[in-house]
Amino acid sequence: MNTCDIQRAIGILRSARILSSTTAPKTLFLMIEGKIQVITVDARYTISVDDFLELYKDMQFIVLESEDTDIEAALAKDAEYYSWHHK
């Protein structure tokens, strides 16, 4: 499992990949339309890239790989649904 820091995480998110926190509680991160979606068991919210950099500057991340496609598909469907719902 390769970890990355906050600076590398931004580039990975911009390439439309999903990141996960390395510590509990598990938190997922993805970028949609230039904003960072933060997803936990209890919450889902959107923050700016600047806020992401400030709030998660000390966190290590892992990239969800292709074997996690079920999670990726579910997150993509959720993001698409919520983008329709809030327009």
Side-chain angles (χ1 to χ4, degrees):
M1 170 181 359
N2 291 332
T3 62
C4 65
D5 65 4
I6 192 76
Q7 293 302 321
R8 186 157 179 261
I10 292 295
I12 291 168
L13 289 169
R14 286 192 172 125
S15 68
R17 298 184 73 188
I18 300 171
L19 295 176
S20 176
S21 61
T22 58
T23 57
K26 186 172 186 173
T27 305
L28 301 177
F29 304 89
L30 66 149
M31 185 176 281
I32 299 176
E33 297 178 2
K35 300 279 189 177
I36 309 289
Q37 292 277 321
V38 182
I39 304 165
T40 68
V41 173
D42 298 322
R44 171 191 290 265
Y45 49 93
T46 304
I47 59 176
S48 69
V49 172
D50 290 338
D51 289 341
F52 175 75
L53 290 168
E54 179 63 29
L55 293 170
Y56 299 101
K57 62 185 171 206
D58 297 324
M59 184 175 276
Q60 291 291 306
F61 305 91
I62 56 171
V63 179
L64 293 184
E65 299 299 333
S66 60
E67 62 203 31
D68 298 320
T69 53
D70 290 339
I71 292 172
E72 290 180 18
L75 290 173
K77 287 179 185 177
D78 283 353
E80 183 178 357
Y81 170 79
Y82 286 109
S83 71
W84 293 340
H85 189 285
H86 296 305
K87 286 188 176 185

